[in-house]
Amino acid sequence: CLYKQDEKFYRQFMSFMHFIDPEDAHKLAVKLLQYRINPRCSLPDYASTRVNILNRSFTNPVGVAAGFDKQGEAVLGLQDIGFGFIEIGSITPEPQEGNPRPRVFRLSEDEAVINRYGFN
């Protein structure tokens, strides 16, 4: 699902996010998803998109990597928008600072983002 059924919201939201520093936009997105202030997928799960890997079943093969939600704050919001699986960050005994800023970069032409927050 991800943003299907609400493309207008997605386009408007993403246009707004491009006016904000990439790292701040990322933090805002995580916070909105943490409080589930996002459209929810109402489409059914289709058998044709189901995948089984290492005896684990996923509703679809589209997931989000650990770098997006390092603290595990937005899991339910990410699930709401239709990701088939969600990785959260690593567990460490002490918080880690990561790499210095800038560490989030937009690739507008590719409609992508690179984050280099770092796990040091």
Side-chain angles (χ1 to χ4, degrees):
C1 203
L2 301 183
Y3 66 86
K4 196 167 186 146
Q5 293 182 314
D6 208 341
E7 288 87 356
K8 182 179 178 184
F9 171 85
Y10 177 78
R11 281 193 208 100
Q12 290 174 343
F13 179 71
M14 292 306 290
S15 294
F16 168 75
M17 294 295 264
H18 278 92
F19 288 107
I20 302 172
D21 169 79
E23 188 163 340
D24 294 336
H26 176 244
K27 288 177 186 175
L28 176 60
V30 170
K31 284 296 175 198
L32 291 172
L33 289 163
Q34 177 182 2
Y35 294 106
R36 300 174 94 174
I37 303 169
N38 54 278
R40 286 168 178 73
C41 180
S42 60
L43 294 175
D45 293 328
Y46 295 101
S48 61
T49 62
R50 220 169 198 27
V51 293
N52 290 297
I53 301 170
L54 301 173
N55 294 322
R56 293 232 180 241
S57 182
F58 301 96
T59 56
N60 67 68
V62 180
V64 64
F68 181 80
D69 185 15
K70 286 183 163 298
Q71 305 298 323
E73 300 166 305
V75 174
L76 294 176
L78 290 165
Q79 187 177 26
D80 288 345
I81 59 176
F83 282 106
F85 60 94
I86 301 152
E87 285 185 79
I88 59 170
S90 299
I91 298 171
T92 60
E94 297 290 329
Q96 296 193 0
E97 216 175 287
N99 294 323
R101 287 180 87 153
R103 53 195 181 173
V104 179
F105 307 90
R106 287 189 180 105
L107 303 176
S108 297
E109 198 172 290
D110 297 317
E111 297 183 6
V113 174
I114 294 175
N115 98 40
R116 294 185 180 141
Y117 283 119
F119 179 70
N120 305 325

